[in-house]
Amino acid sequence: MEGNHPRQAAFILSIGNRFIHICPNIWYTELFMSFTLFSSHSPLSSFKRPLLATVMTAVVATISVTGCSAPESNNSEPAEAGDENRTADEAPNVANNDAVSAETISVNTVKGDVDLPINPSPLVVYDMTLLQDLAALNVAVDGTPSNLMLDNLHSETQPEPKGVGTVFEPDLEALNAMKPQAILIGSRMAEKYDELSSIAPTLDMSIDTANIYESSKQRLHDLGALFGKSDQAAKLQGDIDSLIDDTKTVTKDKGTGLVIMVNGNKLSAYGDKSRYGFIHTVLGVPMVDNQIADAPHGQPISFEYLQKTNPDWLFVLDRSAAIGEDGAGAKAVLDNPLVAQTNAWSKGQVVYLSPDSYLAFGGYYQWIQDLTTIKNAFAGAK
């Protein structure tokens, strides 16, 4: 056939290829080729030509209306709308934060929801609580404040981060040079939010001290989602929760407690809505005084106050030691006749909290250290 009708064969091949390219559905091509072959072997009388034109028009119209669609596959499904924009609760896991993802996530912050790509990089973090959680998640941070007092704020595998100011004051020149894709801050840097937001998307992820357990749990979850490490974040939270349960079993019915901070020769007490409130609200140690004022730096107290309230347990934070200041330690300051009359001192029931509880309260390592210290102290009580 092709030898007898070279022009028609070329015409058929050309049209066929074109339809195959545009519409890969086989029946369109077969229909057109059959129709063409029929026309090449069947001379049409004049009265049949209008019929041929009508059929051609119908075929073209059908193709135009139906359109071209890819062959169906049992192994694929249409993508759901909004797959590229997820909340922190829906984010997937990825291996690490070496590469920025095209997928975005919505993170709830103190200032409202903020949309960011998963694994933002370069990343700047100004808060020690967040740095602890990121270190536990093995997330590398590109820029951090200088002169940090804790040694558990860096991922084991990350290179040395660049200095971008202090926990209270950002270095704007360093930030602009780094061009971060995200800046994470906490309470100490919160007042600089507007200034930082003009440089890069800024997330205020301050811990709510009035509900420190739930707030810190949410922050760890959000960080896991933001950096594609939700499974690891859940495991870390499981470590905390397991230790809380173990600690609660030994703190039950062991007497009243009071949390104090020793700052040089000054004393202050903290209630259940403070950063140390978890001792009462989570571990169930009754407050020896339910009237303690809620203040960021605690309620000023005296040695006479300690004698009068007479707590069974004293939980002590040595602020000077936590921030590296010289001077008498908390134990030396409390060693006086008035404090000696309390049940806590006379029974040796004084628990010294970690510096993390002051600098990185609500962080993963703070939870682990202080819960372990409290559990061991109560377990050894007579």
Side-chain angles (χ1 to χ4, degrees):
M1 179 187 72
E2 292 181 3
N4 295 332
H5 303 279
R7 291 186 178 179
Q8 289 184 351
F11 176 76
I12 292 169
L13 181 59
S14 174
I15 296 297
N17 284 341
R18 186 173 182 182
F19 270 83
I20 289 171
H21 175 70
I22 298 176
C23 301
N25 295 327
I26 296 174
W27 73 272
Y28 283 150
T29 305
E30 290 179 346
L31 174 62
F32 186 85
M33 291 180 69
S34 298
F35 178 79
T36 309
L37 288 172
F38 167 76
S39 65
S40 65
H41 288 281
S42 304
L44 298 176
S45 61
S46 59
F47 76 91
K48 292 182 180 179
R49 293 183 184 277
L51 177 60
L52 175 60
T54 301
V55 174
M56 280 291 294
T57 302
V59 171
V60 173
T62 301
I63 294 172
S64 299
V65 172
T66 305
C68 300
S69 59
E72 293 184 1
S73 170
N74 293 330
N75 297 324
S76 63
E77 296 181 358
E80 295 291 338
D83 273 356
E84 294 184 356
N85 294 280
R86 302 171 184 260
T87 65
D89 291 326
E90 300 168 335
N93 285 291
V94 296
N96 51 52
N97 67 323
D98 292 340
V100 179
S101 172
E103 189 174 20
T104 61
I105 182 174
S106 180
V107 181
N108 181 263
T109 74
V110 174
K111 301 291 186 178
D113 292 346
V114 177
D115 293 334
L116 280 177
I118 292 178
N119 290 327
S121 180
L123 174 68
V124 170
V125 181
Y126 280 102
D127 180 71
M128 282 183 269
T129 299
L130 298 175
L131 285 171
Q132 273 202 3
D133 287 347
L134 291 171
L137 289 169
N138 197 29
V139 172
V141 178
D142 302 286
T144 66
S146 57
N147 300 321
L148 297 175
M149 305 302 298
L150 302 176
D151 58 4
N152 50 22
L153 304 180
H154 295 157
S155 162
E156 294 178 356
T157 59
Q158 80 167 75
E160 186 67 23
K162 296 180 180 179
V164 287
T166 70
V167 292
F168 296 102
E169 192 66 39
D171 183 336
L172 300 182
E173 184 176 350
L175 279 178
N176 280 299
M178 184 177 291
K179 295 181 172 57
Q181 192 169 35
I183 302 173
L184 310 186
I185 64 173
S187 56
R188 292 180 176 92
M189 187 65 80
E191 65 180 34
K192 302 290 184 178
Y193 175 84
D194 291 338
E195 194 172 14
L196 293 171
S197 294
S198 66
I199 297 174
T202 301
L203 282 67
D204 183 350
M205 303 182 77
S206 299
I207 295 290
D208 178 9
T209 56
N211 193 8
I212 194 167
Y213 171 75
E214 290 296 338
S215 182
S216 65
K217 180 179 180 179
Q218 184 64 46
R219 288 302 176 234
L220 181 57
H221 169 275
D222 291 345
L223 291 174
L226 179 59
F227 294 96
K229 294 176 179 284
S230 292
D231 288 347
Q232 190 170 345
K235 181 182 181 303
L236 295 175
Q237 187 61 50
D239 295 342
I240 295 171
D241 291 343
S242 178
L243 195 47
I244 285 174
D245 291 340
D246 291 344
T247 306
K248 287 170 65 175
T249 62
V250 296
T251 57
K252 185 177 181 181
D253 300 327
K254 292 290 182 67
T256 61
L258 177 66
V259 182
I260 65 171
M261 177 184 288
V262 178
N263 184 15
N265 291 318
K266 298 178 181 179
L267 307 178
S268 55
Y270 288 84
D272 58 357
K273 293 181 175 57
S274 71
R275 70 188 75 176
Y276 312 104
F278 72 92
I279 291 172
H280 307 297
T281 61
V282 177
L283 301 182
V285 178
M287 294 174 61
V288 71
D289 179 7
N290 292 320
Q291 305 302 316
I292 297 174
D294 181 23
H297 301 291
Q299 172 184 302
I301 59 171
S302 63
F303 296 121
E304 287 80 7
Y305 172 87
L306 293 178
Q307 179 196 33
K308 180 180 178 180
T309 55
N310 190 25
D312 295 309
W313 291 86
L314 266 179
F315 301 89
V316 182
L317 187 282
D318 189 337
R319 181 181 181 276
S320 297
I323 62 175
E325 288 184 348
D326 295 331
K331 187 174 183 178
V333 172
L334 294 172
D335 189 6
N336 65 68
L338 291 174
V339 179
Q341 296 177 39
T342 65
N343 290 336
W345 193 271
S346 62
K347 295 181 178 180
Q349 295 180 166
V350 180
V351 181
Y352 292 91
L353 301 175
S354 69
D356 305 56
S357 64
Y358 179 69
L359 298 173
F361 54 92
Y364 172 77
Y365 295 114
Q366 183 265 314
W367 277 114
I368 298 300
Q369 290 183 96
D370 286 323
L371 288 171
T372 299
T373 298
I374 294 169
K375 183 188 73 169
N376 291 341
F378 274 78
K382 298 177 182 181

